[in-house]
């Protein structure tokens, strides 16, 4: 099934790409805030997949479950970002840095 | 109210398991549980007592004395009734004083205790030595409360091992011993106590790992999904599996016994441990290994024991000679006695490898004998060390002139250890060698040479430490005090009595060995 | 069972009770203790003489269990027992042991007076007497072994009486350990016997002598097996009776008090080996090869000891080597089949050798030295001692008509009967040197002028008191006359009482043997006189020794056996093995054990470093882990192209 | 232009825009620029949702993601110094590892998901808007999570307040 | 949805309302209290009392639910279950929460003026955990998981003055979010393959559609992986030591027990429903993970000096043992035994760990540090606190007759019965190795020489917490049968 020339896989490629970008950002960036942004990208990637599945794999027993799921994810992400930023500010206040490779008091 | 009884009632108190009528206790009360668990009561009492002044220390010591004496006394009653009243009359083998309560019914584990001819002498040995060890610890000054607390906890484990008839229970008791002994060495030990304690711990825990794995496999492959030792001992296993399990169990017990080359923890642990703990290590803890071998390795896997007899013999002979030679080279008296333990426990292994009724009887008897004799020797080393503050054979000399009573005790102890007739060790060695000769000619010959070695190192030590001219440094030494003399000569009296009249005891042991050897013949 | 046999258990019991009482109750009271020991052994002696008389009247074999110990070990089908055995052999031995013990104890009243450890000394003598009697009256190998070990220990304790002297302590240890080298094959021999004959005992206790005797011939054991068995048992005898190569302990044992030397190391314990061979003679008889070994070893020991004795300077050592030589002779006799003669020699030897030792003790008591060159001229001042020792010397040298002559003659006869030239030569050498060293000693010590010794006035030398002289006289009488109980050709002599196998015919007297041995002995005495009796001195001993220095040194140093053993076995083998095992434990076994622990430690240090502390590192690990797991699962999992696993699912 | 062609064109434009802006988020070296790229990404994703008929999500995405979250992030950027410089969003030392792992994650997902036999359903043609359906589902199937989310938001609220509040003020 | 169906949520609702009450009470009492600058005892006492009462009420509600036959076991279209399995976990979660609150009683002093928020967050996190173990539907699963996680992020960073605490919170958050994304993606794939989010429905679809598709395998790995974060399994374990070390000790305790317990509950549920058709796949996967996890945890712990950090590695190691039990779950014959063993393990491990952290907390209050060196000689003056710490260490080692042994034993038993003797052997060796570092703590307490210290004193709240721990560690062994029986019942429920 597809809509025009566009099928489920097209959306999944976008989703996978987003996820990969998120992973890269999470692993490569130095600023803690951009790590948060990368995580948001990953959630979005999953959301794209969920919504696409809901669209292409509609199930009458649970109509649009993917959409609902994505809605919850958006909500959760918002709460998580709020808490994350609070923690980040706390770290910044105590340490004067948001660079993740400088936040390594505890190791080994 | 003791714990197991309580457990029994809460656990729906189903006295399951087949208890043979008549073979059971005539006391009608949980004798063995009392023997095993009373020290726990003592330990808890000690935990509650204050620990500030000399007075408090005295009270703690008295509690420890009481709670090690009562089990000893109860055991004496049990032994008296069994050996002098019931033996051959109403008792002719099997377990007695059995208690069987549901405990972990989900897995088929029971609180099941009982004693037979193999375990009863060892229960006697352990309760006796714990009482003696408590007496020998009375001059403890540092951290009295912890010391006696741990001592009593140790008591539970050791006595429990000899009474457990459920394999899981056996394992639990087996493990209880570990930590108290570790701490007792670590805190009250000698100069290299840290090394010795860790070594003891790691060896022992490795042994436990093997034991637990073996128990688990046996539980499933034994067919009955039970931990009951009487049932498991009858399980029929494929030879390959039986052999594997045999060696797994053997590994565990070999570390404890110890068997060459797994013995190096022993000299370190014995040397660094405080006197009373050396006594217990040599006197009862090693016996757990020998007991396990006879009860489980031989009892459960007679075919494998027979099949691997030669391998075990080899280990035994190496151990006997190795320990003997190494003892010759020691300058530390305690280390020498420790190596002599390696040698003497080799005799036990020799008896086990032979698998004849006489040899197995001797092996059990040697467990008992070595426990008392070497226990005494460690006491005596301790008495020397307490006064001279050294155990170096080359530094000491001529002590007989200052400490005649101690010297006499030492001579008796050494001669008993050498295997002199009239002392308990002789009977055991005689049985073992006569029993094993039929199975292994050359092996026995080599093993008997170990006796010559033991004469060598012990008498040489006596000569250098006690005889000859008195060295100036030791001119002020004093003979032991009254209480020291009491337990010292008390032990030697037992060494003597059991050596002169071993008949009943060996008969008792035979009741337990006979069914075992019958199975050996049949398999 | 009538008296005296039913009372024989008292023979064993009385000394034991004496020992226990002395150590337990009367340790502080010297007089009471000593007399207690004497009375106990006297009582035992009375019963044993009674038993001997009964046996003489009617030789009989009786044995019974020793009360509660008759079932010492009894379970399943094994039965080890302690008991009392009465037959002519044991009756004779019991009398020897009790009598010598009695005399020695009386003697010690004076000899040991004022010594430290007086009661300990008496107690141990009682204990020894008990042990020796237990051994002698033993009904089986098991009991024999017990007694065997106990006498060994008593010997250890008594040699080490002067434990403050390093030499005494060392000698005690040496005696015990060297004997152990014989004991352990003996023990294995017992095990061998048990293994072969257990189950054929027919109701008797295991290892019973009389029950086993017929079994040696029953075909249960091959000849080779019998030989091994006999050699194993004989090893015990070699150790205890100080036969070559385990002879080295006996001379050193002279560090003990002299009466002990007389009792243990001359009259009783050291002959236990001979007694053992005699007791188990059926075994040896069943395998003739073993007897050849016994004879050869006995002869070798005897010859060597006799030669060494000539070059010793210590009075007790001379006698000790003499003892060695005589013990060898007894073995020699047993080996060549002179069972009765060997036993007779054991019997006579007990008296004259005890006499010699006690006499020597008396001299030492007077002169306060043991070096014979510091003595001399004692004869003038200690008349009784001198005469007694003279009798003893004649007896030991084998001069007619003293007791030693008659017993030695019996052995000589049998040796000559073998017609083995080596054996005959050996016998002649032994006889010659016996006479030589015995009288060398006598002349040096008792004749001539009092030797000069620093700070010692010869006038102080005086005869010992009655407690010493009376036992000497008793023994001298016995040494002089007891030989007549075994006159060759006699119809009621010793040979008709104690014998092996069938009741023997009265033997024809072998005059050649008598003649040769007498002549050789007299030659020996003459040579001794020419060298050492000042009145007849023709040769200078020092000059002779210097001329044959190499031979003299060899002899003086007892063939260097002590040195060789020390270097080869003690230092070279045993101690080195000890060091090697200890080294191995420390450096090899523990290396691996500690290495394992260190390995874990190292691994831990390495693994810790993975935990870098930076959160991105953790994230990298996380994603890399997931990818890796996924790739592995997809490629190698059950759905993958390279599936290698197949799990069990439900 | 047919509907399908418009749809296709729209998808590609949006997809490329989404991914490019996403890439910009993780490559731009100025954190403020990256934040703006993030807003763009969320914005394009919202339109992707609309392509998938998810009108409710389109709204939610625009409001919450493209609206609220970036605001929070910008706040954070502002509150932390050093943020405005050109190296405020620099790479750490892990770039190579990050690239390799990200690429392999992407590769893995593509390799597995492309050939997968996804569940196929018939999207009801008469479905005008999803809001009604989702709303019904929220009080039926997802009633419990709906309640749990309230707990979650409470947690977030308390947490943010507690952590962000400066002591002693 | 009626009020009747809401009854089934009573325990959770009671707890959530309690949390709100605590916050509100805190606000009032706090302002009241600011006038009087005396001790901070009163507000804490009130908040704690309310919390404990709420917990008890919640437990009471559970008791009513479990005994009542009128209450359906499923609700909300089967997305929410209330079987014995769920109730078992809910009960232990609430108990854990109670003990945590008690352990933190004195420590929350440092959190003024947010003491009541601290308690409330613990309760809310517990609510999240309770929803987790009752979840039978992906959305609820995910939402409740995140509720728990976010609450914990905050709690970890709660010690606002501490650099370690905030760093730990930050690390926890980043790794948690990444894991959460992985889990979410896995769930999305599962949804895509089946079109359903109800776990049972997913299982049916998967079973019908064949279970060998690579996408399914990937989904399985993502889902298990995402959940591994909660249970601290390799490779999702690296946050553990840092967070354990940095978080306030009561929070560390809470993470190590509640978060883990809920994680296991959920994992068992997922493995036995949605992923059940793939049991042969996850068995191997988990077996390997178990082996690696226990080795990494135990070996790394050997050289630790911070006790809290050491406990973190210990936590990883124990995750390995428990996963071994999960492996045994794959075998139909041993499934009940295995799950029963795992549940028992979780209960025992939780109580023991709480006792350990409680005692550690008390020691820290006395000595100011959690290093082995600051523990030195603490036990010399006697007293109960070091004894509890030592006992819990020994229990964690698995020394009989302490309860930890039985937990391990049952898991080993299950593994061997399922044919994983090799895994049991690895576990045994590891268990032996673990004795070294646990006993290091005991050694420090009792054998090492330390500065002269006064005997540690603790308040009644801590005593209650430690008492519960000791009761669990020591005499529980004798009555283990009862608890094992409950665990087995619960296991049977999840297998139904």
């Amino acid at each position: 099934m597809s809509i025009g020339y566009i099928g489920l896989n097209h959306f999944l490629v976008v989703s996978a790409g987003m996820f990969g970008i998120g992973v890269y950002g999470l692993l490569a960036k130095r600023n803690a805030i951009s790590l948060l942004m990368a995580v948001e990208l990953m959630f979005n990637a999953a959301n794209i997949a969920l919504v696409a599945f809901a669209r292409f794999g509609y199930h009458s027993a649970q109509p649009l479950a993917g959409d609902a799921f994505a809605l919850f994810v958006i909500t959760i992400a918002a709460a998580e970002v709020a808490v994350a930023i609070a923690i980040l500010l706390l770290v910044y206040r105590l340490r004067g840095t948001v660079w993740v490779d400088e936040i390594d008091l505890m190791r080994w | 109210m003791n714990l197991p009884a309580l457990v029994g009632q809460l656990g729906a108190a189903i006295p399951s398991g087949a208890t043979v009528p008549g073979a059971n206790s005539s006391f009608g009360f949980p004798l063995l549980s009392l023997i095993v668990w009373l020290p726990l009561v003592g330990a808890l009492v000690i935990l509650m007592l204050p620990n500030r002044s000399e007075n408090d220390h005295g009270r703690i010591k008295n509690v420890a004395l009481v709670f090690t004496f009562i089990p000893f006394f109860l055991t004496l009653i049990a032994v008296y009734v069994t050996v002098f009243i019931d033996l051959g009359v109403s008792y002719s083998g099997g377990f007695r004083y059995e208690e069987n309560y549901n405990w972990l019914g989900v897995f088929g584990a029971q609180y099941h205790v009982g004693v037979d001819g193999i375990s009863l002498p060892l229960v006697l040995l352990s309760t006796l030595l714990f009482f003696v060890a408590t007496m020998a610890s009375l001059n403890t000054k540092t951290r009295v409360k912890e010391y006696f607390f741990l001592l009593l906890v140790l008591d539970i484990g050791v006595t429990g091992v000899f009474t457990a008839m459920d394999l899981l229970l056996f394992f639990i008791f087996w493990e209880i011993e570990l930590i108290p002994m570790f701490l007792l060495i670590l805190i009250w030990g000698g100069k290299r106590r840290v090394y010795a304690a860790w070594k003891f711990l790691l060896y022992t825990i490795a042994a436990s790992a093997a034991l637990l794995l073996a128990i688990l496999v046996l539980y499933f492959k034994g067919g009955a999904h039970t931990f009951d030792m009487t049932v498991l001992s009858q399980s029929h296993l494929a030879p390959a599996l039986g052999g594997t399990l045999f060696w797994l169990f053997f590994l565990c017990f070999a570390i404890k016994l110890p068997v060459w080359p797994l013995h190096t923890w022993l000299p370190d642990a014995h040397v660094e441990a405080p006197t009373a703990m050396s006594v217990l290590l040599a006197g009862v803890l090693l016996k757990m290994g020998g007991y396990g071998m006879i009860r489980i390795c031989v009892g459960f896997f007679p075919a494998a024991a027979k099949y691997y007899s030669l391998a075990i013999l080899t280990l035994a002979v190496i151990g006997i000679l190795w320990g003997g030679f190494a003892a010759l080279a020691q300058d530390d008296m305690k280390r020498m006695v420790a190596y002599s333990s390696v040698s003497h426990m080799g005799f036990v292994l020799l008896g086990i490898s032979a698998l004849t009724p006489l040899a197995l009887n001797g092996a059990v008897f040697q467990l008992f004998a070595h426990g008392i004799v070497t226990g005494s020797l460690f006491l005596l080393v301790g008495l020397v060390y307490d006064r001279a503050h050294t155990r170096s054979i080359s530094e000491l000399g001529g002590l007989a002139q200052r400490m005649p009573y101690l010297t006499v005790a030492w001579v008796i102890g050494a001669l008993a250890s050498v295997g002199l007739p009239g002392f308990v060790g002789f009977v055991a060695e005689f049985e073992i060698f006569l029993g094993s000769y039929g199975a292994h000619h050359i092996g026995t010959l080599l093993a008997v040479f170990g006796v010559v070695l033991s004469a060598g190192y012990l008498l040489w030590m006596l000569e250098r430490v006690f005889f000859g001219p008195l060295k100036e440094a030791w001119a002020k030494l004093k003979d032991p005090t009254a209480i020291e003399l009491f337990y010292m000569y008390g032990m030697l009296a037992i060494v003597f009595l059991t050596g002169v009249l071993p008949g009943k005891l060996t008969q008792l042991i035979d009741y337990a060995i006979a069914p075992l050897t019958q199975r050996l013949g049949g398999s | 069972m009538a008296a005296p046999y039913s009372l024989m258990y008292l023979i064993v019991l009385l000394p034991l009770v004496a020992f226990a009482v002395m150590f337990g109750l009367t340790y502080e009271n010297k007089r009471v203790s000593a007399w207690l020991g004497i009375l106990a052994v006297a009582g035992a002696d009375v019963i044993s003489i009674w038993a001997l008389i009964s046996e003489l009247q009617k030789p009989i074999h009786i044995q019974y269990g020793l009360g509660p110990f008759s079932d010492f070990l009894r379970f399943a089908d094994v039965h080890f027992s302690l008991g009392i055995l009465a037959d002519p052999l044991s009756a004779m031995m019991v009398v020897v042991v009790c009598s010598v013990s009695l005399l020695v104890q009386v003697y010690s009243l004076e000899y040991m007076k004022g010594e430290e450890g007086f009661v300990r000394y008496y107690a141990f003598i009682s204990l020894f007497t008990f042990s020796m009697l237990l051994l002698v009256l033993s009904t089986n190998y098991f009991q024999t072994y017990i007694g065997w070990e106990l006498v060994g220990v008593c010997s250890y304790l008594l040699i080490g009486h002067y434990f403050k002297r390093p030499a005494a302590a060392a000698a005690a240890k040496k005696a015990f350990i060297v004997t152990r080298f014989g004991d352990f094959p003996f023990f294995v021999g017992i095990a061998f016997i048990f293994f072969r004959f257990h189950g054929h005992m027919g109701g008797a206790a295991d290892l019973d002598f009389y029950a086993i005797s017929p079994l040696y011939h029953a075909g249960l054991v091959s000849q080779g097996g019998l030989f091994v068995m006999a050699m194993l048992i004989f090893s015990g005898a070699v150790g205890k009776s100080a036969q070559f190569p385990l002879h080295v302990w006996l001379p050193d044992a002279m560090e003990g008090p002299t009466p002990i030397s007389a009792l243990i190391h001359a009259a009783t314990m050291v002959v236990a080996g001979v007694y053992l061979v005699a007791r188990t003679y059926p075994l040896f008889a069943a395998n003739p090869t073993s007897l050849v070994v016994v004879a050869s070893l006995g002869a070798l020991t005897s010859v060597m000891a006799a030669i060494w004795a000539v070059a010793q300077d210590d009075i007790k050592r001379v006698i000790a080597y003499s003892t060695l030589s005589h013990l060898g002779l007894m073995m020699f006799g047993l080996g060549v089949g002179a069972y009765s003669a060997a036993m007779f020699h054991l019997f006579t030897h007990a008296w004259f050798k005890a006499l010699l030792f006690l006499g020597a003790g008396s001299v030492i008591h007077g002169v306060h030295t043991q070096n014979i060159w510091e003595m001399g001229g004692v004869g003038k001042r200690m008349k009784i001692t001198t005469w007694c020792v003279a009798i003893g010397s004649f007896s030991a040298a084998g001069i007619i008509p003293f007791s030693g002559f008659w017993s030695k003659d019996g052995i000589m006869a049998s040796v000559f009967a073998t017609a083995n030239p080596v054996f005959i030569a050996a016998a002649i050498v032994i006889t010659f040197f016996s006479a030589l060293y015995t009288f060398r000693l006598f002349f040096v010590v008792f004749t001539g002028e009092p030797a000069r010794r620093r700070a010692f006035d010869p006038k102080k030398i005086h005869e010992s008191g009655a407690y010493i002289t009376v036992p000497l006289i008793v023994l001298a009488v016995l040494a002089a006359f007891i030989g007549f109980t075994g006159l060759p050709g006699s119809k009621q002599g010793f040979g008709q009482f104690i014998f092996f196998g069938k009741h023997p015919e009265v033997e024809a007297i072998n005059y050649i043997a008598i003649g040769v041995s007498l002549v050789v002995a007299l030659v020996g005495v003459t040579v001794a006189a020419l060298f050492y009796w000042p009145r007849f001195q023709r040769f200078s001993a020092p000059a002779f020794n210097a001329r044959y220095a190499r031979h003299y040194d060899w002899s003086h140093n007892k063939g260097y056996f002590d040195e060789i053993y020390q270097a080869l076995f003690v230092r070279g083998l045993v101690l080195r093995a000890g060091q090697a095992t200890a080294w191995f434990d420390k450096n090899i076994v523990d290396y691996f054990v500690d290495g394992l622990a260190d390995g874990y430690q190292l691994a831990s240090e390495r693994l810790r470093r993975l935990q870098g502390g930076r959160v991105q590192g953790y994230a990298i690990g996380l994603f890399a882990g997931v990818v890796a797991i996924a790739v592995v699962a997809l490629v190698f999992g059950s759905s993958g192209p390279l599936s290698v696993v197949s799990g069990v699912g439900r | 232009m047919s509907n399908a062609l418009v749809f296709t064109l729209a998808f590609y434009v949006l997809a490329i825009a989404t991914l490019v802006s996403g890439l910009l988020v993780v490559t731009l070296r100025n954190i403020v620029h990256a934040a703006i790229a993030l807003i763009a990404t969320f914005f394009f994703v919202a339109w992707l949702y609309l392509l998938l008929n998810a009108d409710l999500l389109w709204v939610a995405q625009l409001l919450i993601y493209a609206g609220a979250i970036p605001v929070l992030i910008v706040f954070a950027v502002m509150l932390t110094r050093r943020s405005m410089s050109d190296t405020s969003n620099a790479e750490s030392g892990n770039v190579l590892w990050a690239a390799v792992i990200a690429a392999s994650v992407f590769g893995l997902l593509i390799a597995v998901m492309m050939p997968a036999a996804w569940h196929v359903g018939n999207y009801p043609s008469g479905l005008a808007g999803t809001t009604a359906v989702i709303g019904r589902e929220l009080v039926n199937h997802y009633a419990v999570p709906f309640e749990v989310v309230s707990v979650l938001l409470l947690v977030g609220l308390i947490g943010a307040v507690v952590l962000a509040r400066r002591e002693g003020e | 949805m009626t009020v009747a169906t809401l009854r089934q949520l009573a325990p959770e609702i009671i707890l959530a309302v309690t949390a709100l009450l605590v916050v509100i009470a805190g606000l009032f009492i706090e302002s009241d209290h600011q006038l009087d600058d005396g001790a901070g005892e009163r507000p804490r006492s009130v908040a704690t009392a309310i919390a404990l009462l709420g917990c008890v009420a919640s437990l009471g509600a559970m008791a009513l639910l479990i005994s009542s036959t009128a209450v359906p076991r499923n609700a909300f279209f089967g997305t929410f279950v209330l079987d014995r399995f769920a109730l078992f976990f809910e009960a232990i979660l609430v108990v854990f929460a109670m003990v945590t609150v008690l352990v933190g009683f004195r420590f929350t002093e440092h959190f003024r003026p947010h003491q009541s928020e601290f308690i409330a967050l613990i309760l809310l996190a517990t609510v999240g955990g309770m929803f987790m173990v009752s979840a039978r539907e992906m959305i609820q699963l995910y939402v409740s998981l995140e509720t728990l996680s976010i609450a914990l992020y905050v709690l970890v960073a709660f010690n606002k003055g501490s650099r370690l605490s905030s760093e730990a919170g930050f690390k926890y958050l980043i790794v948690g979010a990444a894991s959460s994304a992985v889990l979410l993606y896995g769930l999305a794939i599962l949804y895509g393959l089946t079109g359903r989010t109800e776990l049972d429905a997913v299982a049916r679809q998967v079973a019908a559609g064949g279970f060998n598709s690579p996408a399914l395998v990937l989904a399985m790995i993502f889902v298990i992986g995402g959940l591994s974060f909660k249970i601290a399994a390799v490779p999702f374990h690296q946050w553990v030591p840092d967070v354990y070390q940095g978080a306030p000790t009561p929070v560390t305790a809470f993470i190590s027990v509640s978060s883990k317990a809920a994680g296991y509950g959920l994992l068992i549920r997922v493995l036995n429903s949605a992923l059940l058709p793939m049991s042969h796949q996850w068995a191997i996967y988990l077996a390997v993970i178990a082996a690696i996890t226990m080795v990494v945890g135990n070996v790394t712990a050997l050289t630790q000096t911070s006790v809290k950090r050491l406990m973190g590695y210990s936590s990883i190691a124990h995750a390995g043992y428990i996963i071994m039990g999960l492996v045994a779950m794959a075998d139909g014959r041993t499934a009940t035994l295995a799950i029963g063993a795992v549940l028992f393990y979780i209960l025992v491990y939780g109580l023991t760990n709480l006792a350990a952290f409680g005692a550690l907390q008390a020691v820290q209050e006395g000595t100011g540090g959690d290093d082995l060196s600051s523990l030195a000689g603490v036990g010399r003056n006697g007293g109960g606190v070091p004894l509890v710490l030592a006992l819990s260490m020994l229990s964690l080692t698995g020394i009989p007759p302490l309860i930890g042994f039985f937990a391990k034993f049952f898991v080993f038993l299950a593994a061997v019965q399922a044919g994983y003797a090799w895994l049991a052997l690895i576990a045994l060796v590891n268990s032996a190795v673990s004795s070294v570092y646990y006993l290091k703590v005991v050694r420090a307490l009792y054998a090492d020489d330390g500065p002269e210290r006064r005997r540690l004193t603790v308040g009644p709240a801590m005593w209650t917490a430690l008492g519960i721990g000791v009761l669990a560690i020591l005499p529980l062994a004798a009555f283990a049968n009862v608890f094992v029986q409950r665990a087995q019942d619960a296991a049977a429920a999840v297998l139904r």
Side-chain angles (χ1 to χ4, degrees), chain C residues 267-302:
Chain C
T268 56
M269 188 193 82
V270 287
V271 300
V274 182
Y275 176 75
L276 177 69
V277 176
R279 182 53 82 195
T280 61
Y281 210 65
L283 168 60
F284 290 88
N287 182 274
T289 324
S290 63
L291 281 178
V292 176
V293 177
V294 173
S296 312
L297 217 55
L300 181 62
T301 310
S302 190

Side-chain angles (χ1 to χ4, degrees), chain C residues 604 608 611 613 618 639 650, chain E residues 171 238 242 272 299 303 329:
Chain C
S604 181
R608 278 179 80 173
Q611 193 79 22
Y618 304 168
S639 61
R650 23 186 242 273
Chain E
K171 285 176 174 172
Q238 287 189 297
D242 292 3
N272 280 289
V299 173
T303 43
M329 208 163 67

Side-chain angles (χ1 to χ4, degrees), chain C residues 600-601 603-605 607-608 610-615 617-626 629-631 633-634 637-640 645-650, chain E residues 170-171 174-175 179 182 212 214 217-218 221-222 235-236 238 241-242 272 276 279-281 284-285 289 299-300 302-304 309 313 329-330 332 429 433 495:
Chain C
Y600 259 106
Q601 201 76 13
S604 181
E605 284 292 342
L607 269 179
R608 278 179 80 173
L610 288 180
Q611 193 79 22
R614 295 178 184 172
V615 74
Y618 304 168
I620 288 176
L622 190 160
F623 282 106
V626 168
I629 292 167
V631 168
L634 290 170
S638 55
S639 61
V645 287
S646 56
V648 182
R650 23 186 242 273
Chain E
F170 171 71
K171 285 176 174 172
I174 295 296
V175 179
S179 311
V182 171
N212 255 351
V217 173
L218 191 72
I221 290 169
F222 273 22
F236 294 80
Q238 287 189 297
D242 292 3
N272 280 289
L276 187 58
S279 56
H280 67 292
Q281 303 242 20
I284 297 162
Y285 167 66
I289 291 293
V299 173
T300 319
L302 285 175
T303 43
Q304 298 303 321
R309 199 171 176 80
Y313 286 108
M329 208 163 67
V429 171
V433 171
L495 285 167

